[in-house]
Amino acid sequence: MQARIRIAVIALGATVLVLGSALGILAARFDPNAYKSAIVERVHEKTHRTLSIGGDIRLAVYPRLGVHLGKASLSELGGKGEFAALDSVRLSFALVPLLLRQEVVIDRIELRGMRATLVRQADGSMNIDDLTAARVKPNAGERAGAAGNAGAGPARIRFAVDSIRVDNALLRFDDRKAGRVFDIARLNIDSGPIAHGVPSRVALSANIGVDKPALNTVLIFESGFALDRDTRRVAMTELDANLDLSSRAGIESRAKLKGSIEIDFGKNAIAAALKGKIDDSAVSGKGALRDGMLQLDIDIDRLDLARYLPRAPSAPPAGDAAPGADAAPDQPLDLSALARLRASGTLQVGELTAGGLRAANVHAVLLADAGKTTIKPLSATLYGGNGNGALSLDFTGDPSAPRMALVQDLRGISLGALLLDATGKTPLAGRGDVQLDLETRGASTMALREALGGTAALRLRDGVIGGIDLGRMVREARAAAGVGSGADSTGFSELSATFRIDSGVAHNKDFSASTPLLRIGGDGRIDLAHATIDARLRCTVVPSLTGQDGPAVGTLGGLTVPVALSGPLAQMTWQVDVAALGSEAAQKMRGAMPSGGKEKLKDRVKDALGGLFPR
């Protein structure tokens, strides 16, 4: 028995030696470059594309049986323009399957300096449609003939790659239908075995750029994966990805994510479960892409949206600003990337900061399709109260200037703290309710403000009106006109108002407020786009305070003091209508005058107004 085994081993060794020698002689004597022209003609015949082989074709026997090709390129259909090119490619084959089963098993692929450009035209056609078109399927007779000749034909190719290495590749996707260009540059791939049911790993790095909006991402990731040929699925596990994103607008972001991804080529679907850090935010979520629809469920512990907005230009020196200017500077706003979004899902944010505003326990449900994006409900707790409403964007009219709508019901909030965080100022403070139903459209922040329309309503208690002290003005009345001061304010116990907003201007006809000294009514307009005011207030002295704030106020109990407010909100001016006040004072005193006292009316009016407005 041992002798037979020894003979079999010797015979096998001799066979391998003979075959190896034969392959060596073949490699030494056979010149594949002699077939270049035939290969080029064959490619042109089958594809109507031009193949150029600038480098030599070499065969290798040791350590692997393989082929090495130098510089080569393939033209676009019809021979015009370059479709793809490479600096070099190496293919190696498994020897045993070739000798024993006539199977060509590619066990290693090495690509260096590969370049390719994919183009999608405006009609949706692509420059690879001719290469990916389905081949005509054989009929039953042809299949039967092929089965009868099984084993008699040429060697079969079985896709089982031991490893793939790609160095410094460049892939470009010119999407002319969407008007964008994507570049994947410096692409490097180092993969283990790619075979059915064989666990493996892959490492990848690349620079991924898009021109609209101008973004660039450096991606580095490693992952385990397994290929299921029967179901046409690839499962990626233990994924570890790092992304560095930057844009021309000054946005920078870093992400480190771990998780898993499954790709289903049969259903054109991708599903992922990831968690990690994006900048200072801890993020976890699940997502899926099926038939072009993105499904997302994301949970973030805290998020500051300001770091993901374009950086505003530097503010001009104070001396260069227009006198009294208080409106925020104009900034371009490009949301066109959302016009083609097809997505649904939920978002949970523990702590959210947006433009200085702060909110907690944010919950949003997203639905985007056919050029329309809706977030409903959009709820949060904020400034001691809570808000609930909806936000929508409609790109169907003009993707560069979408129509926006916001409906929000804020209950029990501290309005002063909210305005301070949003604008840096507190023109109005108090706790209560605010209802907003707004819509606008535009491609910049100023355009959005100037196109703002809708309604707003507020009802507050125990607050202050900043910039003017109406009570002091009535009590002391040192002048009939003046400029509001940041140190001045009017406290109130209740305040309410409703606004109709048109073209960025808020119109009011029912302003009402109560203070210990005054009952205040009014009407007017506030230009929200340019931060100016033009309003009239009617401040009625409470009769019950007669004698509590000096003889002048006592004399004018029940009198209404008309006050005009105008100018920029930051430097609001006020002026008392003296003529109207004198007329009302005279009328009031005439009613209270005893019989036969008309001759004293003039002196009494003069004394009262002198107390209010001494020279």
Side-chain angles (χ1 to χ4, degrees):
M1 179 63 70
Q2 292 181 351
R4 291 180 180 179
I5 294 175
R6 185 164 52 251
I7 293 172
V9 171
I10 293 173
L12 179 60
T15 302
V16 172
L17 179 61
V18 171
L19 290 174
S21 300
L23 290 172
I25 295 171
L26 178 62
R29 293 178 176 271
F30 177 70
D31 183 11
N33 293 286
Y35 294 88
K36 277 186 179 181
S37 59
I39 296 172
V40 170
E41 291 177 3
R42 184 66 170 171
V43 170
H44 189 270
E45 177 187 341
K46 291 293 185 182
T47 67
H48 300 287
R49 295 172 181 255
T50 301
L51 174 65
S52 299
I53 304 176
D56 291 334
I57 304 175
R58 299 196 301 271
L59 295 179
V61 176
Y62 181 84
R64 290 184 175 93
L65 178 65
V67 178
H68 176 209
L69 174 64
K71 289 182 178 295
S73 65
L74 183 66
S75 74
E76 293 282 3
L77 182 64
K80 295 182 179 180
E82 182 183 271
F83 164 65
L86 50 82
D87 292 337
S88 69
V89 59
R90 291 177 182 268
L91 299 177
S92 59
F93 309 93
L95 184 58
V96 173
L98 180 63
L99 296 178
L100 299 184
R101 299 189 297 273
Q102 290 188 307
E103 288 184 347
V104 179
V105 178
I106 303 173
D107 70 351
R108 185 167 178 82
I109 301 174
E110 295 183 16
L111 297 172
R112 296 183 185 275
M114 182 180 70
R115 304 180 302 278
T117 301
L118 302 180
V119 179
R120 182 170 73 162
Q121 303 293 349
D123 61 2
S125 63
M126 297 189 66
N127 65 337
I128 59 171
D129 287 345
D130 60 305
L131 300 177
T132 59
R135 300 290 185 250
V136 177
K137 296 183 178 180
N139 58 36
E142 291 173 335
R143 287 195 299 268
N149 293 326
R156 296 172 297 167
I157 297 179
R158 180 164 63 89
F159 187 77
V161 179
D162 181 64
S163 64
I164 292 179
R165 184 176 180 86
V166 177
D167 289 334
N168 197 28
L170 171 61
L171 304 179
R172 167 165 286 193
F173 178 37
D174 185 355
D175 190 350
R176 296 173 184 175
K177 184 175 182 179
R180 292 183 177 179
V181 176
F182 297 84
D183 283 317
I184 303 178
R186 299 179 183 176
L187 174 62
N188 299 289
I189 302 174
D190 193 353
S191 169
I194 302 178
H196 173 68
V198 178
S200 186
R201 293 197 66 80
V202 62
L204 180 148
S205 64
N207 285 10
I208 304 172
V210 59
D211 63 338
K212 296 178 182 179
L215 298 174
N216 185 72
T217 301
V218 178
L219 170 65
I220 301 174
F221 87 83
E222 294 185 6
S223 177
F225 72 92
L227 170 66
D228 188 327
R229 185 179 58 225
D230 297 335
T231 60
R232 299 181 63 189
R233 292 181 179 179
V234 177
M236 308 186 74
T237 57
E238 299 180 357
L239 182 146
D240 189 345
N242 293 270
L243 301 92
D244 287 354
L245 181 144
S246 60
S247 76
R248 293 178 188 172
I251 301 172
E252 295 184 355
S253 180
R254 290 186 176 184
K256 184 175 181 61
L257 303 172
K258 297 179 181 292
S260 62
I261 298 177
E262 183 175 288
I263 306 173
D264 189 332
F265 291 99
K267 297 181 179 179
N268 293 322
I270 301 175
L274 302 171
K275 64 178 180 179
K277 296 277 289 187
I278 299 179
D279 299 319
D280 298 326
S281 305
V283 179
S284 64
K286 295 181 179 180
L289 179 63
R290 297 184 179 90
D291 299 325
M293 175 65 77
L294 183 63
Q295 171 68 42
L296 294 172
D297 293 295
I298 302 175
D299 195 333
I300 305 175
D301 66 339
R302 61 179 181 270
L303 177 63
D304 184 357
L305 291 180
R307 69 181 304 160
Y308 304 112
L309 295 176
R311 292 180 182 175
S314 300
D320 297 338
D326 190 43
D330 191 22
Q331 297 181 31
L333 189 64
D334 184 6
L335 300 176
S336 59
L338 298 176
R340 291 171 292 276
L341 179 64
R342 297 185 63 227
S344 64
T346 62
L347 173 66
Q348 301 280 153
V349 182
E351 300 176 9
L352 176 67
T353 303
L357 296 174
R358 295 171 287 112
N361 303 318
V362 178
H363 174 71
V365 177
L366 167 71
L367 177 61
D369 197 7
K372 297 181 179 180
T373 299
T374 301
I375 302 176
K376 181 181 181 180
L378 174 60
S379 62
T381 57
L382 67 169
Y383 298 96
N386 59 79
N388 188 64
L391 172 67
S392 66
L393 295 90
D394 187 344
F395 296 89
T396 55
D398 183 358
S400 65
R403 176 183 174 275
M404 305 180 191
L406 173 68
V407 176
Q408 195 67 210
D409 186 4
L410 306 176
R411 299 285 179 174
I413 65 166
S414 175
L415 183 60
L418 187 153
L419 293 175
L420 181 63
D421 283 349
T423 68
K425 304 177 179 62
T426 314
L428 184 63
R431 182 171 293 278
D433 306 332
V434 178
Q435 287 81 43
L436 304 173
D437 188 349
L438 308 173
E439 65 176 41
T440 187
R441 71 184 313 150
S444 70
T445 54
M446 178 57 75
L448 293 177
R449 292 195 295 268
E450 290 180 339
L452 188 65
T455 62
L458 56 88
R459 183 178 296 274
L460 305 175
R461 61 185 181 276
D462 301 329
V464 297
I465 303 171
I468 186 170
D469 188 344
L470 296 172
R472 179 182 175 189
M473 184 188 69
V474 171
R475 288 192 303 268
E476 301 180 3
R478 297 186 183 278
V483 177
S485 167
D488 293 332
S489 63
T490 299
F492 61 82
S493 56
E494 293 184 350
L495 182 150
S496 65
T498 61
F499 298 89
R500 177 182 56 82
I501 305 171
D502 184 27
S503 299
V505 179
H507 303 267
N508 168 261
K509 294 183 178 180
D510 62 354
F511 180 85
S512 175
S514 299
T515 79
L517 175 65
L518 306 170
R519 297 295 180 264
I520 306 170
D523 57 77
R525 48 179 287 178
I526 301 175
D527 188 335
L528 301 173
H530 303 92
T532 62
I533 187 171
D534 182 11
R536 301 291 181 272
L537 298 181
R538 298 176 296 277
C539 306
T540 302
V541 180
V542 177
S544 62
L545 291 181
T546 300
Q548 293 184 15
D549 290 276
V553 173
T555 303
L556 300 178
L559 186 69
T560 298
V561 180
V563 180
L565 306 178
S566 61
L569 290 174
Q571 293 179 305
M572 180 173 58
T573 62
W574 60 267
Q575 184 171 9
V576 175
D577 188 341
V578 178
L581 178 60
S583 176
E584 182 174 347
Q587 185 68 29
K588 173 181 177 296
M589 293 180 182
R590 182 182 292 112
M593 184 178 60
S595 177
K598 291 183 179 181
E599 67 281 357
K600 299 182 180 179
L601 175 60
K602 183 177 180 179
D603 292 337
R604 295 184 61 186
V605 171
K606 181 178 179 180
D607 292 341
L609 293 179
L612 283 172
F613 307 109
R615 295 183 181 275

